[in-house]
Amino acid sequence: MGFDVPRVIKQVEKSDLVALTEQARTRHLGVGRGIECLSANVADSSNGALWAVLRESHPQPCYRCQIVIKCSGGIENFLLDVLPDDFERLPDLSEERLVQLARWALSHVPVSPLPAEYMAEWNRARGHGGI
């Protein structure tokens, strides 16, 4: 994440994403998903998270935002450029939802076992002997 972007995560609904996508298209900003894709694949009641990852200056100052939202095929994850004023108008993600998002994200991180030589060392350190 860049140093010149807000350090908050915003809550978005499908209607927010459709409006932001339309604004990005009319202002020639970077567009992540088309409105048709959002309309077809994201339920009207879906809530998601949006956070700024980079500040862009062309064609006008905006935040490149990462978006995660549930869709019919699982999860949509894409980038979208959002003007600073539009970003500020979105509500902050509540602490409870932020914890849920973190738990969900961590549950999707694949866990790979340690290589055998490190596993043996780990087991010895824990008092379990060798493999």
Side-chain angles (χ1 to χ4, degrees), residues 63-81:
Y63 299 129
R64 171 103 1 114
C65 295
Q66 181 75 43
I67 297 167
V68 175
I69 193 165
K70 283 187 177 181
C71 69
S72 58
I75 297 291
E76 275 290 320
N77 177 11
F78 58 95
L79 297 172
L80 178 66
D81 288 352

Side-chain angles (χ1 to χ4, degrees), residues 118-131:
Y118 295 127
M119 195 67 197
E121 183 179 331
W122 172 253
N123 284 333
R124 277 192 302 276
R126 291 178 39 215
H128 296 281
I131 295 180

Side-chain angles (χ1 to χ4, degrees), residues 101-119:
L101 177 64
R103 285 183 176 153
W104 171 83
L106 289 172
S107 73
H108 286 78
V109 174
V111 178
S112 60
L114 292 171
E117 61 272 16
Y118 295 127
M119 195 67 197

Side-chain angles (χ1 to χ4, degrees), residues 17 20-21 24-25 29-35 37-38 64-65 67 76-81:
L17 290 180
L20 292 170
T21 299
R25 184 181 301 176
L29 304 175
V31 178
R33 294 285 187 268
I35 292 173
C37 177
L38 293 172
R64 171 103 1 114
C65 295
I67 297 167
E76 275 290 320
N77 177 11
F78 58 95
L79 297 172
L80 178 66
D81 288 352

Side-chain angles (χ1 to χ4, degrees), residues 14-63:
K14 177 182 178 177
S15 59
D16 299 322
L17 290 180
V18 169
L20 292 170
T21 299
E22 181 59 33
Q23 289 173 6
R25 184 181 301 176
T26 59
R27 293 178 174 138
H28 306 289
L29 304 175
V31 178
R33 294 285 187 268
I35 292 173
E36 302 78 22
C37 177
L38 293 172
S39 297
N41 295 315
V42 177
D44 291 338
S45 60
S46 285
N47 289 320
L50 173 147
W51 58 96
V53 294
L54 184 67
R55 184 170 179 86
E56 292 289 335
S57 59
H58 184 76
Q60 59 184 311
C62 62
Y63 299 129

